[in-house]
Amino acid sequence: MKLIDQVTKIVAARHCKTNIVTASANTINLHKIRKGCVITISGCMTFKSNKSMEIKVSVDADAGVDSSQKPYQAASAFTY
């Protein structure tokens, strides 16, 4: 959850170029990440107004080259 919050702050700061605060996190879906997986965290802005913005953060996990498991979405969140 800490990494999700950090990505949210990076996306928001790039947009508004000032200090920001995460007010809330709505709908956090978490799934197990197995040991040894490589994770990729990405965020994108889905809504903005004069006083608030909504950012969707996705955490994707990839088991690596030695596993037959396909990459999957390990977590997702909408933050405000």
Side-chain angles (χ1 to χ4, degrees):
M1 288 177 53
K2 179 182 177 182
L3 293 174
I4 290 172
D5 190 48
Q6 288 175 342
V7 169
T8 298
K9 290 176 182 177
I10 291 169
V11 172
R14 283 184 172 181
H15 174 71
C16 63
K17 297 178 179 34
T18 188
N19 294 331
I20 56 98
V21 175
T22 302
S24 68
N26 187 21
T27 314
I28 298 176
N29 299 316
L30 301 171
H31 301 282
K32 185 186 290 187
I33 299 175
R34 291 175 183 82
K35 183 178 178 181
C37 286
V38 176
I39 61 170
T40 305
I41 305 170
S42 59
C44 66
M45 189 173 309
T46 57
F47 169 79
K48 64 180 180 175
S49 70
N50 290 338
K51 296 186 180 190
S52 67
M53 59 186 85
E54 177 186 68
I55 298 170
K56 180 182 181 195
V57 180
S58 298
V59 179
D60 298 317
D62 188 359
V65 294
D66 293 336
S67 178
S68 63
Q69 182 180 4
K70 295 182 179 181
Y72 62 97
Q73 187 174 37
S76 64
F78 283 96
T79 58
Y80 300 93

